Amino acid sequence: MSGPSFITKNRPSFLLDGYKIVGVIGSGSYSTVYKGIPQNGQEQFVAIKCVEKSKLSASGLENILTEIQMMKLMHHEFIVEMREFQWDEKFIYIILEYCDGGDLSTFIKKRRKLPERVVQKFMRQLALGLQFLRSKDICHFDLKPQNLLLITKPTLTLKIADFGFAQFLSKDAHRTSIRGSPLYMAPEMLLKKHYDAKADLWSVGIIAYECLFGKPPLPSATCQELVEAVQAMVPIEVPHGSVSDDCQSLVSSLLVYDPAKRIGFEKFFDHPFLDLEHCPSESSYEKAVKLVQKAVVLDADKNYKDAFTVYCQALRYLVPYVNSLTDGVLKRSCYDKVLEYTKRAEEIKVVLYKFDDSKLAKNKRTQNSSKTGDELVEDDQQSFRTFKTISLI
């Protein structure tokens, strides 16, 4: 293997088996991340994390080895994938999936703050990534917007990155060493108390708050000011009326100083704001198809009350799935089915509840005539959230 002939921030130039270096993505205290192209004929970029061994302490080297060990286990759509790793006498090279959208921190700064529906999408993806990590007994311990990378094509996707501080940690194990970035660090970690996996959930709360409001909940000029705010347990409030009740509930339950009272992983994954059950996937589509088939049979048998319920259940799976499609022809075909089931459910609702909303429906069709497919499906999703609140008793 040939190692770097020289490395500078402005002029990357080194030979690495199988890769051509074309630019610099970023750099840290002991590593630089380069943009590369595989030399096997594939025009697909990769990110190459080049770690200089001489700058690593013993614990730093151990962290790198642990990071590589973990990433060999991780193959998930919301976690940055390690393609391979190489090394020589001076450097360790970690070849990673390339994310063309930069990081979440830059994404937020460009927009000041994000709409709740975008935050919901990112939080769902982050939660699914964390759910996978928990299944592998892995805690990240450095969750922050800078370590959440984005892919823009074929659709905007968030991926968890940088496992330099991550640890294998059973649910009963505790640690005391400080890991991560103070602004996103759980209170128990910042104050050098025992901490466990729930430290990651505090970080998720800080990230969600920053996405929604464009700033962290405990802004401070220095680390000492932050420590004092945490010691004083300065109240963290999500402004009423600024977000939905479900969103406020999730963020408030994450940003609890006492880890014993903070929401746990099971309740976090089950939270209605995330609604992971209805996230788009092949299995969610299969569930939608079975429910639609059941609804059609109930409808034909004139069992309208149950038919309405099952149509709504089906669309809760189907709408997110259609929104996630990138094939335009397939998306349009599925979208037409969504409209068909939506229309039928609206007709049944009128029959069941003697509520004549034909004028409302007509106005909605007029307003929708200039909208895109994505906007239309989002409107349908909102209408079925309303349907869900109707009592069928």
Side-chain angles (χ1 to χ4, degrees):
M1 178 184 301
S2 299
S5 54
F6 63 89
I7 297 178
T8 66
K9 292 183 180 179
N10 297 324
R11 190 183 177 190
S13 177
F14 62 87
L15 301 173
L16 185 63
D17 287 354
Y19 300 94
K20 177 183 178 182
I21 307 304
V22 297
V24 177
I25 297 174
S27 60
S29 56
Y30 61 85
S31 67
T32 302
V33 181
Y34 296 96
K35 185 178 180 180
I37 300 178
Q39 291 183 308
N40 57 7
Q42 295 180 357
E43 292 296 324
Q44 185 176 6
F45 292 118
V46 295
I48 302 175
K49 183 176 180 179
C50 180
V51 182
E52 195 167 354
K53 290 181 181 179
S54 62
K55 293 184 178 180
L56 291 175
S57 63
S59 61
L61 179 59
E62 182 181 349
N63 286 343
I64 289 292
L65 296 177
T66 300
E67 179 178 4
I68 292 172
Q69 182 185 4
M70 287 179 176
M71 297 203 75
K72 287 168 68 176
L73 301 174
M74 292 188 282
H75 301 282
H76 191 273
E77 61 180 319
F78 301 126
I79 297 175
V80 172
E81 184 176 352
M82 181 181 74
R83 302 291 167 80
E84 63 167 308
F85 66 94
Q86 303 179 19
W87 71 93
D88 57 28
E89 67 278 3
K90 292 184 179 180
F91 296 91
I92 298 171
Y93 313 97
I94 305 176
I95 295 88
L96 303 161
E97 174 183 9
Y98 176 70
C99 298
D100 67 320
D103 62 48
L104 181 59
S105 177
T106 303
F107 190 85
I108 296 171
K109 287 175 183 176
K110 286 182 179 179
R111 294 159 179 78
R112 297 183 60 186
K113 57 182 181 178
L114 307 181
E116 183 178 324
R117 63 182 180 83
V118 176
V119 178
Q120 184 182 48
K121 177 177 182 175
F122 285 156
M123 288 298 107
R124 281 173 173 167
Q125 294 174 343
L126 177 55
L128 288 168
L130 288 174
Q131 196 172 53
F132 178 82
L133 292 182
R134 292 305 304 135
S135 73
K136 300 294 183 182
D137 196 29
I138 294 172
C139 302
H140 191 282
F141 289 142
D142 195 19
L143 291 173
K144 57 183 178 181
Q146 293 87 341
N147 287 342
L148 301 176
L149 304 185
L150 302 175
I151 287 180
T152 61
K153 296 177 181 179
T155 185
L156 187 61
T157 303
L158 177 146
K159 290 177 177 275
I160 304 172
D162 200 337
F163 288 79
F165 287 117
Q167 289 283 301
F168 290 103
L169 187 70
S170 67
K171 64 181 180 180
D172 297 322
H174 294 270
R175 298 287 188 276
T176 56
S177 59
I178 291 181
R179 293 174 175 270
S181 304
L183 196 59
Y184 302 92
M185 197 179 290
E188 58 270 26
M189 188 184 294
L190 191 65
L191 300 179
K192 300 181 181 179
K193 298 180 179 179
H194 289 292
Y195 62 85
D196 59 19
K198 290 177 77 172
D200 276 347
L201 291 176
W202 171 275
S203 303
V204 173
I206 299 289
I207 293 165
Y209 191 102
E210 188 171 339
C211 285
L212 290 165
F213 304 109
K215 60 182 181 180
L218 295 173
S220 51
T222 66
C223 185
Q224 183 58 36
E225 287 184 12
L226 179 62
V227 170
E228 291 173 357
V230 170
Q231 287 175 327
M233 293 189 177
V234 174
I236 298 175
E237 295 183 0
V238 179
H240 277 284
S242 58
V243 295
S244 68
D245 290 344
D246 281 344
C247 181
Q248 183 180 42
S249 166
L250 178 64
V251 177
S252 298
S253 62
L254 289 165
L255 295 178
V256 175
Y257 287 101
D258 183 353
K261 297 178 181 179
R262 190 179 307 148
I263 190 172
F265 280 96
E266 288 188 11
K267 289 186 177 180
F268 171 65
F269 296 138
D270 287 340
H271 198 280
F273 180 69
L274 300 178
D275 192 20
L276 298 187
E277 168 67 19
H278 298 95
C279 284
S281 66
E282 287 305 314
S283 63
S284 70
Y285 176 72
E286 291 171 2
K287 290 177 182 177
V289 170
K290 290 179 180 178
L291 286 167
V292 165
Q293 292 170 343
K294 181 179 178 181
V296 169
V297 171
L298 291 168
D299 197 352
D301 291 342
K302 301 187 184 322
N303 187 347
Y304 297 129
K305 183 180 290 188
D306 288 343
F308 176 75
T309 300
V310 179
Y311 273 126
C312 292
Q313 291 172 347
L315 281 152
R316 289 190 68 200
Y317 287 105
L318 191 57
V319 169
Y321 179 80
V322 173
N323 262 330
S324 73
L325 294 175
T326 55
D327 183 316
V329 175
L330 178 60
K331 188 167 190 170
R332 187 72 229 181
S333 174
C334 290
Y335 170 65
D336 288 342
K337 288 294 183 181
V338 167
L339 288 184
E340 178 185 334
Y341 304 140
T342 301
K343 180 181 178 181
R344 182 55 188 154
E346 287 176 336
E347 291 170 350
I348 294 174
K349 185 182 73 171
V350 171
V351 172
L352 287 174
Y353 303 102
K354 307 295 188 287
F355 174 67
D356 185 3
D357 56 356
S358 58
K359 292 183 179 179
L360 177 63
K362 182 178 179 181
N363 290 338
K364 182 177 178 181
R365 284 194 296 272
T366 302
Q367 293 169 0
N368 284 344
S369 61
S370 62
K371 290 189 175 184
T372 66
D374 281 347
E375 289 171 322
L376 284 169
V377 174
E378 179 65 18
D379 285 344
D380 290 332
Q381 189 177 36
Q382 293 295 335
S383 72
F384 277 90
R385 288 190 187 125
T386 302
F387 283 165
K388 193 175 66 167
T389 66
I390 299 174
S391 172
L392 298 179
I393 300 175

